Amino acid sequence: MTCAALFSCRALAADGVSSYLPKASPADLFPGADRFGEPQGDPPIVPVYRGDQLQGFVYLNSDFANATGYSGKPIRVLVGIDPKGVLTGLKLVEHKEPIVLVGIPEKRILDAVNKLVGVDMGGVARGAAPAPQVDIVSGATVTVLVIGDSIVRSATKLIKSGRLGAQGKAVTSATPQASKAIDPDKSEVRDWQSLVGDGSIRRLFLSVADVNKAFEKTGNGAAAAHPEEGDPDDTFIDLYVADVAVPTIGRSLLGDEGYDRLAGRLKPGQQALVVAGSGRYSFKGAAYVRGGIFDRIELIQETNSVRFRDRNHTRLGSLAAEGAPDFPEIALFTVPPELALDPTEPWVLQLLVQRVVGARDKALVTFDVGYALPDIYLKRQPTPAQAAPAKSSAPSSATETREVGTPPAASDEEPLWMRIWRANTVKVGLTVVALGALTLIFFFQNFLVRRPAVYVWVRRGYLLFILVWLGWYANAQLSVVNVLTFANSLLTGFSWEYFLSAPLIFILWASIAAGLLFWGRGPFCGWLCPFGALQELLNNVAQALKVPQFRVPWGLHERLWPIKYIIFLGLFGMSLYSTAFAEQLAEVEPFKTSIILKFAREWPFVVYALTLLAAGLFVERFFCRYMCPLGAALAIPGRIRMFEWLRRWPECGSPCQRCANECPVQAIHPEGHINVNECIYCMHCQELYFDDHRCPHMIQVRLKREKRQAMSSPSMRPGGKGPATVITAGGKPVGVPPVDAITPPAT
């Protein structure tokens, strides 16, 4: 059977692995192999043949084990394994890892992971050999470890399932075993020594000598040549870990109030760990500061593993248990939903110790803290096969009463998007406050623009906040890709949960949708777009440095407007054919390079983004005016706005051209009307509208007012104490010029 026939006939049978097989050839995974067979089983594995001879099987790592990377998206690898359990080949087929996109060659990642090829995973599955480790790549530690761990754990799981041969079959008992659960009646408070003594708290102590010996045993000469300095008996790390979702342990370490708060946050079945450490080595690691991920510890159970992120972390100052030591580092971690940790079964907290061996290279060694919950916290329940099938209308208490440590039914799980929102409460709150402030600016714009100096700094401060916090920190830069994804979901099956999984993006889109009814595209393009803010602030600096500004002739400017609409329509049409390809074409937006990745990307993307920003130094908001497909997408529905907030005088456009000449994006026609499709709502025209020293209409009004005031003063009245006439020059009176003599500023 050819590959084409295979995928046309079997796509539904193995939607996961079959959708990625076209990205690899059989020879990539098995030397000399020439064809794939039909997918088998669930999760699917695909046999690979050389002629009619079976070479082995290929599977997708993410089908069998957790493979969530630094980006929060799965790293997908096709894995080749022969019938004896030996890894024969690996093919990286999909990832969204920003670490790999920022300049670390993908080949370095693959070279590190390919060292697993040739490893006999059968011995690992039987416990006869330790799990192999991959060499880490400096700057991409988490990415490499996730790939390596997922390959090892998925292969182990596949072998234990018995699908590769008899040697991998697990021995099963003919008699069902009683299930275990946390005993909710055990909720006493205990001291530190008793918790450590019975294994409720597990400890890992490493001296400097222990770590140096561990690196020597790895056979890495460079690592051994850079030993840890200091007294060999000095404490390298003294690490403690405990499951505080268990009532007794939680109340003892957190106190009654702390445990009750934790129990209120946790969902049924969700676990939480306390990790405390002292010594010269920090278990948190530097990556936590950089990107919100703890790359030095990993939670492992069976074939699944997970690393904690900042949203799972709460810092504790001390432990409540009597006799507990003072630790410089105490962390409370809630176990994320990717790992459904069973507290009744053993698990491991793995500590990764890194050692710099060169300018860009590191060596690593791992230490395990094994954890098994003492039996005193457990109660055994008969399985359904053991229990008599009693017929009763009364519900079972075992299904209705669940404590913090009891695994829940799947139907009781809180939706993922709700957990994401709860984990981003601070960011959501700041975003809502920022949007509220912008709403006040818009509703009280007349009050603000009458004070130009105040308004200028309010605008610049707001744009700086949007750029630094919303853009570079929170990465909440909207994109035309969001529009294409939304349109595609309407055609293929709309789901609110998908869009709710990104709280800040959802809030921004909801506010923009409301803003379109009031102000058109202006609120986003002029105020909420981080890249737009970057362009405007750079142009402000350029003007302060006297960089010459180029004003595009109106005829050319009017013909350049449609370019962004053409780009948007092209992307939209392509998305109907292939959303993935349309997302690649959407790189016409420099948002990902300049805002999301902060220019840490391949040089062509950086050069492109910097070129657009350089153009904006001479032509304000060059990209917004002529190339932004997102601005075009918002301008189309922006025509339905229900209110007109920008004021105009009858003289605007005829004869006065002051606002049109000073509009930063040339959104005002020579005839005087404002093109709302192009207006970014900077309100500069409204500053002029009220300015009685720059707007000709307001100058006329001011001079008339001053003339009336002068005529009504005592010195201008007949018989007044002051002089009846004004000072003369050459025999002619000098007074207030007539209004007709006022010449508007040159346009």
Side-chain angles (χ1 to χ4, degrees), residues 274-473:
V274 158
V275 182
S278 61
R280 64 173 65 182
Y281 191 72
S282 166
F283 67 82
K284 290 187 175 182
Y288 164 64
V289 179
R290 292 197 311 269
I293 191 168
F294 297 84
D295 65 347
R296 295 186 177 181
I297 54 174
E298 180 181 15
L299 179 61
I300 302 169
Q301 187 175 61
E302 293 291 337
T303 59
N304 291 317
S305 63
V306 71
R307 285 179 173 81
F308 298 107
R309 295 176 177 269
D310 56 353
R311 60 175 175 265
N312 313 124
H313 169 254
T314 302
R315 183 182 178 276
L316 300 180
S318 62
L319 297 175
E322 182 181 352
D326 292 328
F327 293 100
E329 285 187 333
I330 308 175
L332 173 63
F333 294 109
T334 54
V335 178
E338 300 94 83
L339 180 64
L341 182 68
D342 184 353
T344 67
E345 297 296 330
W347 49 268
V348 170
L349 186 73
Q350 189 174 81
L351 175 70
L352 175 73
V353 178
Q354 303 177 10
R355 175 172 289 178
V356 178
V357 297
R360 295 180 57 86
D361 297 323
K362 294 181 182 179
L364 67 89
V365 65
T366 58
F367 300 90
D368 291 346
V369 187
Y371 193 95
L373 196 64
D375 288 339
I376 59 173
Y377 302 118
L378 303 177
K379 65 177 181 179
R380 299 189 177 274
Q381 298 175 330
T383 62
Q386 293 174 316
K391 295 182 180 180
S392 173
S393 59
S396 171
S397 60
T399 61
E400 288 192 345
T401 304
R402 286 192 296 271
E403 294 298 323
V404 173
T406 308
S411 60
D412 291 336
E413 288 289 341
E414 182 184 36
L416 176 60
W417 68 267
M418 294 181 67
R419 295 195 290 271
I420 294 175
W421 278 68
R422 185 175 292 108
N424 289 275
T425 303
V426 175
K427 290 183 179 179
V428 169
L430 281 176
T431 303
V432 172
V433 170
L435 292 173
L438 183 59
T439 303
L440 292 177
I441 290 174
F442 280 3
F443 274 102
F444 296 97
Q445 64 183 43
N446 292 342
F447 174 82
L448 196 57
V449 296
R450 290 175 185 268
R451 296 157 180 82
V454 175
Y455 174 74
V456 167
W457 288 108
V458 167
R459 176 165 174 79
R460 289 175 180 173
Y462 195 91
L463 292 180
L464 187 63
F465 170 81
I466 292 298
L467 172 62
V468 175
W469 185 84
L470 193 66
W472 285 337
Y473 177 75

Side-chain angles (χ1 to χ4, degrees), residues 489-724:
S489 69
L490 294 177
L491 299 176
T492 59
F494 182 81
S495 173
W496 278 111
E497 290 193 8
Y498 176 82
F499 297 97
L500 286 167
S501 63
L504 301 190
I505 300 297
F506 182 85
I507 291 173
L508 286 174
W509 275 115
S511 63
I512 290 167
L516 288 174
L517 297 176
F518 286 82
W519 302 284
R521 62 175 279 203
F524 173 74
C525 295
W527 294 83
L528 294 174
C529 176
F531 186 77
L534 178 59
Q535 288 183 98
E536 183 165 329
L537 292 173
L538 287 177
N539 184 266
N540 291 158
V541 174
Q543 292 188 43
L545 297 176
K546 308 301 181 182
V547 174
Q549 300 296 299
F550 178 71
R551 188 169 185 83
V552 181
W554 178 260
L556 176 61
H557 173 67
E558 196 173 25
R559 285 161 178 78
L560 293 177
W561 271 347
I563 293 178
K564 58 180 175 287
Y565 296 95
I566 295 172
I567 294 174
F568 169 68
L569 293 176
L571 292 173
F572 182 78
M574 182 55 64
S575 70
L576 300 178
Y577 168 73
S578 171
T579 303
F581 186 54
E583 290 180 3
Q584 296 178 14
L585 295 178
E587 288 288 355
V588 68
E589 294 178 328
F591 304 161
K592 183 176 181 181
T593 300
S594 58
I595 303 300
I596 305 300
L597 297 178
K598 306 172 188 66
F599 298 100
R601 206 178 182 192
E602 294 90 338
W603 69 266
F605 296 98
V606 175
V607 169
Y608 172 68
L610 291 177
T611 300
L612 293 175
L613 290 173
L617 298 178
F618 303 92
V619 180
E620 187 169 349
R621 286 185 176 252
F622 175 85
F623 178 78
C624 297
R625 293 199 207 183
Y626 306 124
M627 296 182 61
C628 182
L630 179 57
L634 295 177
I636 296 173
R639 299 287 296 181
I640 66 174
R641 76 191 192 290
M642 301 172 61
F643 305 96
E644 186 59 65
W645 297 77
L646 300 179
R647 299 186 178 188
R648 309 296 286 152
W649 295 116
E651 297 90 339
C652 292
S654 178
C656 181
Q657 297 290 319
R658 182 91 187 231
C659 290
N661 289 336
E662 293 193 19
C663 178
V665 293
Q666 296 179 253
I668 302 178
H669 283 255
E671 295 81 3
H673 72 273
I674 298 173
N675 187 335
V676 294
N677 284 357
E678 307 303 323
C679 177
I680 63 169
Y681 221 90
C682 67
M683 302 185 199
H684 180 69
C685 60
Q686 299 305 285
E687 285 186 68
L688 295 175
Y689 181 90
F690 291 105
D691 194 324
D692 58 9
H693 286 80
R694 290 187 294 167
C695 174
H697 176 90
M698 292 301 295
I699 292 174
Q700 295 272 8
V701 173
R702 175 176 60 82
L703 292 176
K704 289 180 180 179
R705 181 178 65 252
E706 291 176 351
K707 183 178 180 180
R708 287 196 301 270
Q709 292 174 347
M711 294 298 295
S712 62
S713 65
S715 62
M716 297 296 293
R717 296 172 185 169
K721 295 182 180 180

Side-chain angles (χ1 to χ4, degrees), residues 70-152:
Y70 198 97
S71 64
K73 304 287 182 63
I75 305 173
R76 305 190 191 277
V77 180
L78 289 175
V79 182
I81 188 169
D82 70 12
K84 295 182 180 180
V86 177
L87 297 177
T88 59
L90 307 169
K91 179 71 173 181
L92 179 62
V93 290
E94 183 183 84
H95 73 84
K96 306 292 185 184
E97 294 297 274
I99 301 300
V100 182
L101 295 175
V102 299
I104 298 177
E106 192 171 284
K107 184 178 183 299
R108 292 191 65 195
I109 307 293
L110 298 178
D111 288 344
V113 177
N114 280 335
K115 293 186 177 181
L116 295 174
V117 175
V119 174
D120 182 2
M121 296 302 301
V124 178
R126 295 189 298 271
Q133 297 287 338
V134 297
D135 294 336
I136 64 174
V137 176
S138 180
T141 302
V142 174
T143 299
V144 174
L145 291 178
V146 166
I147 296 176
D149 288 350
S150 68
I151 292 170
V152 171

